[in-house]
Every structure is written in structure tokens, then in C-alpha cells.
Amino acid sequence: MLAVTSSGVRLARFAPPLTLAILLGPLVFGLAGTALPALGYLPELGGKHLTTDHFSTLTAVPGIARSAGLSMLIGLVTTLVSLAAVAGFVASDLGTRLFSRMRRLISPLLSVPHAAAAFGLAFLIAPSGMIMRLLSPWATGLEQPPDLLIINDPMGLSMMAGLVAKEIPFLFLVTLAALPQTAHADTMRLGRSLGYGRISAFVFLLWPSLYRQIRLAVFAVVAYATSVVDVALILGPHLPPTLPVRLIEWMNDPALETRFLASAGAVLQLGVTLATLLAWVLIERLGGFLTGLLRDRGLRLRSDLALRLMARTVMLASVLAVFGGIAVLALWSISGLWQFPDALPSGFTLRSWMRALPQMSDPLATTLLVALLSTLVALALTILCLEREYETGRGRGGNALLLIYLPLIVPQISFMFGLQVLSIWLGVDASLGALVLSHLVFVLPYVFLSLSDPWRAQDRRHDQIAAGLGISRGRALLHIRLPMLTRAILTAAAVGFSVSVGQYLPTVLIGAGRLTTVTTEAVALAAGGNRRVIGVYAFMQTLLPFLAFAIAMGLPGLIFRNRRGLRV
């Protein structure tokens, strides 16, 4: 690691501009590489003059308005339901035993990739899924799966459900990180003493300051939900599909001239995401106005049991959906004959695993290598940046935080097309370095956000004592600060590893089909319908992040087994 020596400490001064270049460089070049072909300029395909004809062609595509509108609707509904559930549960149960238990239940769900969670939900709610099997025939009277369009429904309800189940853990953990920055205990106690119910006390007194802390994370959820590809391929509607799915179809079209149309569509996707974010800001303003109006009218909402039960139900349902889906994936991966409406297979076998593992070896090796490299680079840059901040005494800034979130707020598909064009032009497409860099753009923000708070919370007196004993900054970092932050560093590494494992679009576009991962292979199997093979790949996709988090939790206990002050 670069920051373990005095020379590494000196290198810290170059880390912030380098990190900024890694975060914003691909973003800027990617957007430019998308905008120019959208305007007709791509000399390699004969486009040598700027034109708006491709946008005219885009507007004439049948169903394009519905695809764009559906993407907006999914982004708004997903974010609204997820945020309302998290806020309602925190308001209802903050400080209770149930809150602590839910925190332990939800935390591991952050490591589950979106595609794996989507497959698990599909296996649960499909007409021949686990829920229908448990209810049949004794409750439904069905001996055959019902003819219902549950998965891939036209309104995208199943896709919204899958996204809500995954975004609730993210927003919940972001809220937990923001709570210590507010006087939540005193504020809630004050509200209760004035006769407010728990929900109204939270909404009127605590929520405004808390929401300001998590607002950028909410924007990231809005942007992701409007532009997600893998979940849309698994759970989303097909006739027409969401806008990102249509863009992928155009990019994969053998007719190369459709690249111009795809680039125009990617610009439209950027506009859709920005319009959705603007709509969300309007919802914020409307919510603030209504909250102030109800507060000024003296609403106490003392009887809020129904709202509290609703929030608890949604939170528990999200936990059960993800954990239950993972369990069903594991069950299908080892199942023998399993006919409807049997609740369990007639036998168990490892045949699916034995057949899949040889074919999975290359994608698995690529997954591990890319995830490890991108996580290590992200970790080194993050430590160097935080060390520079630690040296200069500069705290967090709003602009810096915005720049960290920027690659997460801008839709992937809007600049990954441009990055693909740039990588082909440079001759580095389908190379390991380009793929690692594309993953690093998304891994680095999560690693930085995971490690920044523990790093900033360090007690500086340890360094003062070390300096008084003549210990250099590099040695103090290596022998004092890093060991004390081992648990936080490993947790940040596990988060980065999980983010890399779950990356679908960067791998598809930059890998160019020659570098595949477990995630891209699993999503590709969605169209096949072989549940046993899908179960193997999706469960493996889930298993890798779980192993990373298990190492992050267990390794510090092993390392510090003889150091009482570093035990948890």
C-alpha cells in the first residue's frame, strides 16, 4: 500500500488530483464520446458532419416515449417507497431493540448484487415461484402455474419491487451513518414531551436536518433506478422495455449505423435522469411545504400505530424478499426434479454445479481479478486522500462530497457508451486495464464513503504522542493508525469488492464480450429460463460478496486476538 512509508505520505499530496482525474476523466470523455456520435460525428462509421437527424430518428421509434416515461416512473416510485419505508421505520423504532435487530439483519443485504436479488425475487413471485408453490394446491386449488404476467409486467411493478428491496438497505445504512451528526435522541425526546407522536416528532423536528445529510445518496438512488440495466433485463417490462434496455439492444445490433441511434438514446437517458432528479426536487419542495403546513396547524398524530406497522412491514418484507430469494436460488442450484406445485424438489444433486463450474472458471477468475485490483487501487487512493486531508487539517467539504457522488448520479449508460467508443479508438477495448479502470470509477466512491467517517473520527492524540517519541508520520501511520483502522479498512474493501462484483454495464461494454464476469453470465442466462443454471450463477454472484464481508468481520478478530483494546 502506497501510504505505509514516509515516501507514501509525501505522495499523498498528489492523491486528490489523481483521484479527481480518475473519477471525472472517464465521465467527461465518456459524455463527449456519447454526445459526438449522437450529433452524427463518428468518422470511423462515416459520420463526418454534425447533424440532429439521429434525434429525429429517435423520436420516431415506436414506444420510445413510453420507455422514457416508464424509466422516470420507476425511478420516482422506487426512491419514494424506499425512502418512506426507511424514514418511517427510523421514526417508529429508533433506539428500540427491534431497531438493533433490524440493523443487524439489513446490514448484510448491502453486499447482495442487484442482479442476484432480482433473480431471487423472480424465483419467489413468479407464477411457478416459491410463494405460489407454498400456497398450492391447499389455498389456491391450482395444480398448474396460473397464467399471470407477474414477472416483466407492463407497468414494471415487479422491477420496482426488486429495486425497493435493494435500495432500502442502502438508504437505511446511509441514514444510520448520518444519525450521529444530529441530536436525534434529544430531538425525539423534546418532540414526545410536547405531545407529538413518534412519526410526527421525527418528521417535524428531526427529518429536515437528517435529510440534508443523506440527500446526495437519495439522488444516487434516483439516478440508478432510472438507468439500471441488469434488473430491467430480469424483472422489467419487455413490450416496450425501459429506455436503458433499448439502448443496449441498439448497441448490440449488428448494423453499426445503429450506434448513432444508441448514442442519441444515451443522451436522451441523461435527459430522463436529469428530469427525474428535477421532479424529485419538486417532490422535496412539495413535501417540505406540506410538512410545514401540517406542523403549523398543530398536527400531533399521537395515534400513529398504523403508519408504524406499515413501515415495519415494508422493512421486514424487503429483508425477507432478499434472504428468501437467496435461499430459493441456493435450493434451485442443487435441486433435482421439481414439479409444480411441490414445495420442495423430489431430490437433491450437485449435477448443475458440476456442469457449470468448468464453464464458470474464466468468468469467475475475471470477476475476482478485476474486483481485487479495482478495490486495492481504490483503497490506496482513498487512504492517500484521507491522509492528505488529515495532514492539512481540512475537513469534509460539500463540493468534494458532490464530486465523489458525481459518477453515481450521472447514469452509467450515458457515459459508458462514450467510454466504449474511446476504448475502441485507443485500441484498449476488452483489455484488463480498461475494465479495471471502468470498475474503479464506481468502486472508488463507495470505498471513500465507507472509510472517510472512521478515518476522520480518529483521535489525533495518538499521533501527537508518536511525534513526541520521535516517530515519523509514515511509521505512525503504519504502526499506529492503520492497525487501529484495520476493521474499517477491511469493511471498505469488502464494500468495494461487492460493488465491482455487481457491475454489469461496464463489463458488457468495455469487456466487449471477451472479458465476462459471473454477473454478465448470470444476466445473459435470464433469457434462457433454466432455473438450475441461473441458480448456480446467481448464488455464486451472491456468495463472493458474502465471503468478502465474512473476511472483513472475522480477520480483525484473528489478528487482534491478543490485543484487548482492539477487540470488538
Side-chain angles (χ1 to χ4, degrees):
M1 193 176 298
L2 293 175
V4 299
T5 64
S6 298
S7 60
V9 172
R10 288 193 294 270
L11 285 175
R13 71 184 64 181
F14 303 107
L18 178 60
T19 301
L20 196 63
I22 290 176
L23 285 174
L24 300 185
L27 192 64
V28 172
F29 284 108
L31 289 174
T34 299
L36 289 175
L39 292 172
Y41 186 79
L42 190 59
E44 288 77 3
L45 295 182
K48 299 181 180 179
H49 304 285
L50 297 180
T51 176
T52 59
D53 292 346
H54 301 297
F55 288 101
S56 301
T57 304
L58 179 66
T59 58
V61 173
I64 192 67
R66 178 177 173 82
S67 295
L70 193 58
S71 296
M72 288 188 65
L73 179 66
I74 289 172
L76 290 174
V77 173
T78 295
T79 309
L80 192 60
V81 173
S82 303
L83 188 62
V86 170
F89 180 74
V90 174
S92 172
D93 294 282
L94 180 62
T96 64
R97 185 177 298 178
L98 177 61
F99 190 85
S100 299
R101 291 176 178 174
M102 187 64 73
R103 181 176 184 172
R104 288 193 293 269
L105 278 174
I106 283 185
S107 295
L109 299 185
L110 190 63
S111 66
V112 180
H114 282 78
F119 277 123
L121 182 66
F123 283 16
L124 282 175
I125 66 175
S128 59
M130 195 65 181
I131 293 177
M132 193 64 69
R133 289 172 182 270
L134 293 175
L135 295 176
S136 302
W138 64 273
T140 64
L142 295 173
E143 295 290 342
Q144 298 293 330
D147 187 14
L148 298 174
L149 187 59
I150 298 176
I151 306 298
N152 311 125
D153 63 286
M155 290 300 296
L157 297 178
S158 60
M159 179 179 171
M160 293 181 198
L163 288 172
V164 166
K166 268 298 295 171
E167 299 308 335
I168 280 179
F170 173 67
L171 290 176
F172 183 64
L173 295 177
V174 169
T175 303
L176 289 179
L179 274 172
Q181 303 173 39
T182 62
H184 57 88
D186 294 337
T187 302
M188 292 296 289
R189 192 159 43 242
L190 175 62
R192 298 289 287 161
S193 69
L194 295 175
Y196 289 92
R198 291 186 65 92
I199 298 290
S200 56
F202 178 84
V203 171
F204 294 154
L205 302 178
L206 184 60
W207 180 244
S209 61
L210 182 61
Y211 181 75
R212 282 194 293 270
Q213 301 289 336
I214 67 171
R215 191 182 188 213
L216 289 176
V218 174
F219 283 1
V221 172
V222 174
Y224 180 81
T226 58
S227 59
V228 63
V229 176
D230 49 358
V231 177
L233 287 170
I234 298 167
L235 296 175
H238 287 166
L239 294 172
T242 59
L243 181 58
V245 173
R246 303 192 82 165
L247 299 184
I248 288 295
E249 293 174 353
W250 292 336
M251 283 298 295
N252 292 329
D253 195 303
L256 295 180
E257 58 269 16
T258 56
R259 296 294 181 96
F260 294 102
L261 180 63
S263 296
V267 174
L268 175 61
Q269 178 63 61
L270 180 61
V272 166
T273 300
L274 292 177
T276 309
L277 288 170
L278 179 60
W280 182 260
V281 172
L282 295 177
I283 292 174
E284 289 178 348
R285 300 289 177 86
L286 179 61
F289 172 76
L290 293 177
T291 299
L293 186 64
L294 295 174
R295 181 192 60 223
D296 294 342
R297 291 189 175 184
L299 179 68
R300 293 292 194 271
L301 204 63
R302 296 183 180 90
S303 301
D304 56 4
L305 181 60
L307 292 175
R308 295 168 64 184
L309 289 177
M310 188 182 303
R312 292 171 182 170
T313 301
V314 176
M315 293 289 288
L316 184 60
S318 69
V319 173
L320 293 178
V322 179
F323 277 126
I326 293 171
V328 175
L329 288 175
L331 196 59
W332 268 105
S333 71
I334 57 172
S335 68
L337 181 65
W338 195 357
Q339 296 179 325
F340 187 90
D342 296 340
L344 292 173
S346 58
F348 298 97
T349 176
L350 294 176
R351 186 180 305 166
S352 298
W353 282 92
M354 299 300 292
R355 290 178 177 175
L357 282 177
Q359 301 175 1
M360 195 192 298
S361 58
D362 288 341
L364 181 59
T366 303
T367 302
L368 293 173
L369 184 59
V370 172
L372 287 172
L373 289 176
S374 59
T375 300
L376 288 174
V377 174
L379 204 58
L381 288 173
T382 297
I383 291 176
L384 286 170
C385 287
L386 292 172
E387 178 64 16
R388 180 61 177 170
E389 179 186 287
Y390 190 84
E391 290 176 5
T392 58
R394 297 175 183 173
R396 70 189 75 192
N399 292 334
L401 190 61
L402 178 61
L403 291 176
I404 290 170
Y405 267 107
L406 202 54
L408 307 181
I409 294 176
V410 177
Q412 285 186 3
I413 207 164
S414 296
F415 67 94
M416 290 308 302
F417 279 0
L419 276 185
Q420 184 191 39
V421 172
L422 181 63
S423 66
I424 294 173
W425 183 69
L426 294 175
V428 296
D429 57 309
S431 66
L432 182 64
L435 187 58
V436 170
L437 179 61
S438 68
H439 280 224
L440 184 60
V441 173
F442 307 102
V443 170
L444 183 55
Y446 283 103
V447 171
F448 190 95
L449 293 171
S450 299
L451 189 56
S452 57
D453 283 340
W455 193 282
R456 290 163 178 158
Q458 293 176 98
D459 192 339
R460 289 177 176 260
R461 291 176 296 179
H462 293 101
D463 291 299
Q464 294 170 359
I465 294 172
L469 295 173
I471 298 176
S472 66
R473 286 206 309 268
R475 289 183 60 197
L477 177 65
L478 177 61
H479 297 291
I480 299 175
R481 217 176 311 148
L482 290 183
M484 294 177 66
L485 287 168
T486 298
R487 195 176 302 274
I489 292 172
L490 289 175
T491 300
V495 170
F497 184 88
S498 303
V499 171
S500 178
V501 169
Q503 291 301 313
Y504 172 75
L505 191 61
T507 309
V508 168
L509 295 181
I510 305 301
R514 284 172 281 175
L515 289 177
T516 60
T517 63
V518 174
T519 296
T520 58
E521 292 296 288
V523 176
L525 290 168
N530 189 330
R531 293 189 178 184
R532 292 173 180 82
V533 179
I534 292 174
V536 171
Y537 276 83
F539 186 71
M540 177 62 75
Q541 187 191 11
T542 304
L543 186 62
L544 294 177
F546 268 123
L547 290 176
F549 276 94
I551 293 172
M553 289 186 292
L555 188 58
L558 181 63
I559 296 175
F560 302 128
R561 61 187 181 278
N562 297 322
R563 302 179 71 171
R564 184 174 59 186
L566 291 176
R567 294 178 189 171
V568 176

